[in-house]
Amino acid sequence: MEQVKKKTDWRGIIFLQAIIVIYTFSSVCGKMATHGNEFMSRMFIIYILLDFVLLAVYALLWQQGLKRFDLNVAYANRSVAIIWSMVWSALIFREGITVANIIGTAIIITGTMLVNTDAESK
């Protein structure tokens, strides 16, 4: 049985990244729930519920992504979640970005580009 390669274009990569952004925003909601909110307070519950909603949306979209893309492409793009998390931590929580963060990010981007380029050339 011959395996058919699924084509990956820039729209597909943007779709995958949108899914990853949704996933990383769920982490932001989880952190916001505990960031200055008492356990089981109204804002705590709102953030936790939003976290669950985002995770449900992510799960549905991720399943669609896995249907559309080769697993190596989907999971290589999934690794970029650490970059989005770093961006949100800097923009939303005003946390610092270190040289090690930047080096790690460059390695992740390079690896993701290599996998995506290799998938396109086959």
Side-chain angles (χ1 to χ4, degrees):
M1 181 181 209
E2 186 177 321
Q3 183 179 1
V4 177
K5 285 285 187 187
K6 301 171 187 171
K7 187 171 166 65
T8 305
D9 60 0
W10 64 271
R11 281 178 259 128
I13 301 302
I14 291 172
F15 176 71
L16 284 172
Q17 288 307 304
I19 295 169
I20 303 310
V21 166
I22 290 169
Y23 173 71
T24 58
F25 266 124
S26 76
S27 299
V28 170
C29 289
K31 187 168 182 174
M32 291 295 287
T34 60
H35 194 70
N37 296 307
E38 280 189 44
F39 180 69
M40 297 306 286
S41 68
R42 187 172 136 208
M43 287 308 295
F44 177 88
I45 292 170
I46 288 171
Y47 281 123
I48 293 299
L49 289 175
L50 184 56
D51 187 3
F52 283 126
V53 168
L54 288 172
L55 285 173
V57 170
Y58 161 75
L60 293 171
L61 291 174
W62 184 245
Q63 293 303 312
Q64 295 306 309
L66 291 178
K67 287 180 186 178
R68 289 179 55 187
F69 305 102
D70 288 329
L71 283 177
N72 62 337
V73 172
Y75 278 98
N77 279 278
R78 171 68 174 77
S79 68
V80 179
I82 197 164
I83 297 169
W84 286 112
S85 296
M86 185 175 64
V87 168
W88 305 143
S89 69
L91 292 177
I92 297 170
F93 300 108
R94 305 285 187 233
E95 295 175 359
I97 297 175
T98 66
V99 172
N101 294 139
I102 294 169
I103 292 169
T105 300
I107 291 169
I108 291 169
I109 290 171
T110 302
T112 302
M113 288 174 60
L114 286 172
V115 170
N116 288 336
T117 303
D118 183 50
E120 288 176 5
S121 65
K122 290 184 179 181

